[in-house]
């Protein structure tokens, strides 16, 4: 081996290495083509000329008075049971006519349907028989009183025995009792006709069934010509929806905050962003064994007609307020079972911050910890940041 040549090569290589180590590193320019740089797993940096910055909008964190010790319970709108009437036929018979249609608004006393019934004819016959019997009893009483007067006169002159006088007095007493009984039967027959809305002693009448309350026809289970024998089966359901109830299930652990007669706030899925006021009408006396919840019924004014039974609702109730930072719902991201927001630390520099949130309120999310008022958070484009390296 040529040792001098080998030694020379080693010296040249060492010199080249020494020369390279003393030279400053070249700088790679950052251009708009660079998507982002991530110095840490929670921080994202965009170059100033990145087009993605135009899709990201920030806003300062504001504060708002947020209810404390707040109860939020799910529920739904229900018909006020005190304003609901299920109308049954008062007598069996044939449905002669139906006067309303499903969904009609009716007033109290408005005809709903008409019935032709053999029981009506029987009631009219009873009325006539009672009147006839009463006339006979009155005539018998007149005769008994006349006989008594005649026998009294004869007894005074000794023409009849005292026994005849006593018999005549007993006959008058018996006739008076028969008259009272006949009058009671007649009143009963006429009262029955009056309840059915019929005139006394006129055959061929129909029973007109009228609305017991004002409201809307929610159910109609009858058509003309049907014969209905079951007088316990409702044919028409009328409900007054000027007020409705919100039936909510309040957890057993929170029921101590709810009291009958107080005001609560109501949110409806049908009208997001609107808050309605209701009054607690009833708190159930028992706890649901399966859900450990107690039913709370709240009355809601519905003269506007906007609220319909079975609409989903939530009731809110609180004791006092607390000033907390709030962010728009679009600023909040959820990942890994936690909530996050992106905070702008500098121009084009964003940091993912974990936060503890409260219940949504009027389109904003209360932040219980993790943010300070005045910090700028991303309110539009947070999804873009999450996709570009901010995911958990």
């Amino acid at each position: 081996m040529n040792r001098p040549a080998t030694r020379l090569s080693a010296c040249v290589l060492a010199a080249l290495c020494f020369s390279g180590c003393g030279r400053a590193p070249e700088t790679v320019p950052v251009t708009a083509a660079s998507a982002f740089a991530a110095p840490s797993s929670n921080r994202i940096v965009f170059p100033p000329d990145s087009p993605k910055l135009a899709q990201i909008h920030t806003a300062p964190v504001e504060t708002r008075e947020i209810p404390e010790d707040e109860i939020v319970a799910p529920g739904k709108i229900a018909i006020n049971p005190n304003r609901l009437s299920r109308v049954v036929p008062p007598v069996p018979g044939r449905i002669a006519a139906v006067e309303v249609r499903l969904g009609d608004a009716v007033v109290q006393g408005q005809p709903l349907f008409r019935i032709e019934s053999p029981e009506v004819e029987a009631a009219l016959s009873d009325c006539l028989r009672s009147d006839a019997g009463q006339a006979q009893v009155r005539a018998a009483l007149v005769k008994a009183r006349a006989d008594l007067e005649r026998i009294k006169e004869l007894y005074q002159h000794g023409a009849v025995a005292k026994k005849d006088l006593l018999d005549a007095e007993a006959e008058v007493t018996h006739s008076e009792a028969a008259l009272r009984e006949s009058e009671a039967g007649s009143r009963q027959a006429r009262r029955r006709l009056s309840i059915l809305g019929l005139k006394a002693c006129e055959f061929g009448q129909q029973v007109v069934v009228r609305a017991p309350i004002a409201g809307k026809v929610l159910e109609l289970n009858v058509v003309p010509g049907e014969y209905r024998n079951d007088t316990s089966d409702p044919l028409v359901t009328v409900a007054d929806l000027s007020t409705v109830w919100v039936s909510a299930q309040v957890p057993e652990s929170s029921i101590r905050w709810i009291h009958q007669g107080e005001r609560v706030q109501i949110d409806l899925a049908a009208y997001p962003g609107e808050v309605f006021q209701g009054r607690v009408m009833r708190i159930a006396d028992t706890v649901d064994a399966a859900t450990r919840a107690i039913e709370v019924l709240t009355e809601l004014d519905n003269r506007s007609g906007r609220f319909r039974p079975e609409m989903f609702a939530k009731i809110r109730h609180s004791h006092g307020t607390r000033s907390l930072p709030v962010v728009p719902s679009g600023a909040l991201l959820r990942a890994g079972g936690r909530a996050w927001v992106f905070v702008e630390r500098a121009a084009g520099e964003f940091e993912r911050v974990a936060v503890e949130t409260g219940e949504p309120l009027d389109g904003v999310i209360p932040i219980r910890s993790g943010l300070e008022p005045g910090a700028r958070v991303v309110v539009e484009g947070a999804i873009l940041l999450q996709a570009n390296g901010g995911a958990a």
Side-chain angles (χ1 to χ4, degrees):
M1 178 178 290
N2 190 345
R3 290 184 178 177
T6 303
R7 188 179 295 113
L8 177 61
S9 300
C11 291
V12 172
L13 181 60
L16 291 173
C17 290
F18 181 81
S19 175
C21 291
R23 191 178 297 172
E26 295 183 0
T27 301
V28 180
V30 178
T31 66
S34 302
F36 60 90
S40 71
S41 60
N42 289 330
R43 191 167 294 223
I44 301 172
V45 180
F46 286 93
D49 56 349
S50 174
K52 293 183 178 179
L53 289 175
Q55 305 176 45
I56 300 173
H57 301 280
T58 63
V61 175
E62 299 178 351
T63 60
R64 185 177 294 187
E65 292 297 317
I66 303 300
E68 283 289 281
D69 295 325
E70 186 178 36
I71 300 167
V72 180
K76 63 180 181 179
I77 291 180
I79 298 173
N80 185 340
N82 299 322
R83 298 175 178 266
L84 176 68
S85 177
R86 294 182 173 88
V87 183
V88 299
V91 291
R94 187 181 71 85
I95 307 300
V98 178
E99 306 288 352
V100 294
R101 294 178 297 180
L102 188 65
D104 281 357
V106 298
V107 298
Q108 186 176 11
Q110 180 176 333
L112 299 177
F113 55 90
R114 301 174 184 272
I115 301 177
E116 295 176 340
S117 173
E119 288 198 6
V120 171
E121 305 299 320
L124 290 169
S125 297
D126 289 343
C127 180
L128 290 174
R129 280 194 294 269
S130 296
D131 288 350
Q134 187 175 350
Q136 291 178 351
V137 172
R138 285 184 184 277
L141 177 59
V142 170
K143 179 180 181 302
R145 286 174 175 172
D147 290 344
L148 177 60
E149 292 300 323
R150 181 175 55 83
I151 291 176
K152 280 183 178 180
E153 185 177 351
L154 293 174
Y155 178 73
Q156 290 174 357
H157 293 84
V160 295
K162 187 175 182 178
K163 176 180 177 299
D164 296 331
L165 176 61
L166 294 176
D167 289 343
E169 291 176 344
E171 183 64 25
V172 170
T173 302
H174 176 74
S175 297
E176 289 175 344
L179 179 60
R180 288 193 296 270
E181 182 178 355
S182 177
E183 288 175 342
S186 180
R187 285 195 299 268
Q188 182 180 9
R190 290 175 181 274
R191 177 60 178 166
R192 184 181 182 190
L193 293 175
S194 175
I195 291 174
L196 294 175
L198 302 174
K199 296 179 180 180
C201 306
E202 291 186 17
F203 287 93
Q205 299 179 74
Q206 296 177 345
V207 176
V208 181
V209 181
R210 302 178 183 274
I213 60 173
K216 283 197 171 183
V217 178
L218 300 188
E219 293 182 6
L220 186 63
N221 303 317
V222 63
V223 295
E226 289 185 329
Y227 190 91
R228 292 303 183 97
N229 191 44
D230 187 357
T231 56
S232 63
D233 183 24
L235 303 185
V236 181
T237 299
V238 178
D240 179 3
L241 300 179
S242 60
T243 63
V244 293
W245 280 10
V246 177
S247 172
Q249 302 297 318
V250 176
E252 177 185 5
S253 58
S254 302
I255 196 63
R256 66 185 184 277
W257 301 112
I258 301 290
H259 302 285
Q260 187 169 336
E262 65 182 351
R263 293 282 178 177
V264 297
Q265 292 184 334
I266 299 171
D267 300 333
L268 294 174
Y271 305 107
E274 294 189 61
V275 179
F276 306 95
Q277 297 291 327
R279 185 164 61 95
V280 176
M281 299 299 295
R282 183 178 181 274
I283 301 173
D285 299 318
T286 58
V287 179
D288 189 305
T291 62
R292 307 307 304 173
I294 299 171
E295 184 183 39
V296 174
L297 296 173
T298 303
E299 187 176 65
L300 186 60
D301 190 330
N302 190 34
R303 284 175 290 182
S304 64
R306 300 176 69 192
F307 312 132
R308 293 168 172 82
E310 301 301 323
M311 277 184 172
F312 287 116
K314 288 190 296 186
I315 67 168
R316 293 176 177 274
H317 182 68
S318 63
H319 291 266
T321 60
R322 173 186 174 190
S323 182
L324 288 176
V326 296
V327 298
S329 56
L332 196 69
L333 297 171
R334 296 193 181 273
R338 301 187 65 182
W340 309 82
V341 295
F342 281 98
V343 179
E344 184 181 38
R345 298 304 187 189
E349 183 177 340
F350 306 94
E351 183 179 3
R352 188 181 62 145
V353 176
V355 294
E356 180 185 350
T357 64
E359 290 290 331
L361 181 68
D362 298 339
V364 297
I365 309 294
I367 304 299
R368 296 193 174 276
S369 65
L371 274 184
E372 294 297 329
R376 297 192 69 86
V377 298
V378 175
V379 295
E380 291 185 28
I383 297 294
L384 176 64
L385 291 174
Q386 188 180 38
N388 286 334

